[in-house]
Amino acid sequence: MKRVALSEVPIERVSHNPAIAKQVLLRQGDLPHLTNFSRACFAPGQVAPGHAHSDMHEVFFIEAGQGTMIVDGQRFDLVPGVCLAIAPHEVHEIANTGPEELVITYFGLRAIGD
């Protein structure tokens, strides 16, 4: 068992845009196949530019705010309650298009045998 409280986790920076703050609750090695379980906060106008992962799936859950995610050229609106699953090699970009903070909880799973 591992207990982690968001209030006790330090703020780090998103590798795709260091201006975006994140908190990593679980890291690779904490659970089999998990790469991370994190929460990111995008200020209005912030963008995590398009990128893809060859070795992992990612799941994003929108907690607050509004934005867009572009996946392989297709645009999806991000509003609270929306969940998106991204497969390996899918190019994805996230942008806060609203006037308030965009809060996203997400995790990655190592792609095994895909």
Side-chain angles (χ1 to χ4, degrees), residues 29-104:
D30 288 336
L31 293 171
H33 313 297
L34 183 76
T35 63
N36 72 87
F37 178 68
S38 304
R39 183 177 188 250
C41 299
F42 291 63
Q46 284 187 321
V47 176
H51 63 281
H53 307 281
S54 62
D55 60 348
M56 76 172 178
H57 299 265
E58 280 188 296
V59 176
F60 298 89
F61 179 75
I62 311 311
E63 288 186 51
Q66 62 187 38
T68 60
M69 181 179 284
I70 299 172
V71 181
D72 286 344
Q74 186 173 358
R75 180 187 162 122
F76 298 91
D77 290 330
L78 303 178
V79 295
V82 167
C83 180
L84 290 102
I86 306 299
H89 305 288
E90 288 184 320
V91 177
H92 52 288
E93 174 179 295
I94 302 169
N96 180 343
T97 59
E100 298 177 3
E101 190 172 62
L102 173 65
V103 181
I104 301 174

